[in-house]
Structure formats: structure tokens, C-alpha cells
Amino acid sequence: MALNPRERTEFVNAYTRVLITAWSSEEFSAKLDNNPREALAESGLEVPADAQINVVRNIPDNAHDSNIDVQVALWERGLETGVYEFHIPETPQIDMAELSEGDLDSIAAGIDINCCCCPCCCCT
């Protein structure tokens, strides 16, 4: 059962809330594992009472399962089969490297020392 554009947007928004909440709250993340129906409902995803819910956390690095289209297709399949699969990847790691004072000065001055995209006067 294909979602219409409005339904797709609603699903993507709710699924995004699930991800963000799972990544920012250990309590919600545990609830997602122990009582997924309730956790999903808190984020706006209502799953039928008789449906089976599988939460997949271990997603291989080379898998394309992080693509939102894959999750939409899994939701649509769940609507047809009653078996819902949710891919919840690990919390994304953010590079916390700081810029040096020289980097900040260059940015503030509008200087880009790595520029080589065009033959303009700022590159020569």
C-alpha cells in the first residue's frame, strides 16, 4: 500500500522524531526496545494492536538502510503484512575537532586557502 505524499510526509516526520528522541534519551531508547508500540505512539506512529514490531539496531556500515526511502518502504510493507520493521541506527558521531585561531581568522576574513574551483582572481 503506497503512501500518498501527505501520508509519506507525516511518516517521515514521525520517524525522524523517533530517531532524534532515541538518540537523545536513554529512557526512550530503552522503551523502544522493551515496548516499541508505546514508544512509537509517543512519536506519532500508531501501529495496529495485532501487528508485529521489529526494531533493528545493528545496521551494517555498508547497508543502505539509513536511506529514508528504505524505511518508508518498510512502513508500507508493514501496512500490507502487519509486520513492521524499524531501523534505528546508532547515535551519529559528531567530529568535535575545533578550528584553530588561524582557521577562524581566515573564515572571518573571507579567505579560503583551499579554493581551486575556478580561475578567478581570489585563487591566483
Side-chain angles (χ1 to χ4, degrees):
M1 175 181 170
L3 300 175
N4 67 41
R6 182 187 56 77
E7 293 169 331
R8 179 185 166 90
T9 299
E10 289 173 359
F11 170 76
V12 168
N13 289 340
Y15 175 68
T16 302
R17 279 191 298 277
V18 169
L19 290 178
I20 292 169
T21 308
W23 292 337
S24 60
S25 167
E26 290 182 21
E27 180 181 330
F28 181 84
S29 186
K31 182 185 284 188
L32 193 57
D33 291 331
N34 299 321
N35 189 351
R37 188 177 322 281
E38 183 178 331
L40 294 168
E42 286 177 15
S43 296
L45 289 174
E46 297 291 334
V47 180
D50 60 340
Q52 177 184 339
I53 302 171
N54 300 318
V55 176
V56 179
R57 296 247 187 204
N58 297 323
I59 302 168
D61 290 336
N62 61 350
H64 298 289
D65 293 346
S66 60
N67 183 327
I68 192 66
D69 293 330
V70 171
Q71 190 60 60
V72 169
L74 290 169
W75 177 257
E76 290 172 337
R77 187 179 329 147
L79 293 172
E80 294 173 1
T81 65
V83 178
Y84 292 82
E85 186 172 312
F86 293 92
H87 293 189
I88 310 295
E90 294 297 319
T91 305
Q93 298 301 310
I94 299 171
D95 184 8
M96 300 300 286
E98 294 184 31
L99 295 174
S100 70
E101 288 294 322
D103 293 336
L104 292 173
D105 288 342
S106 294
I107 292 169
I111 299 169
D112 185 359
I113 59 173
N114 295 320
C115 181
C116 62
C117 59
C118 65
C120 64
C121 63
C122 68
C123 297
T124 56

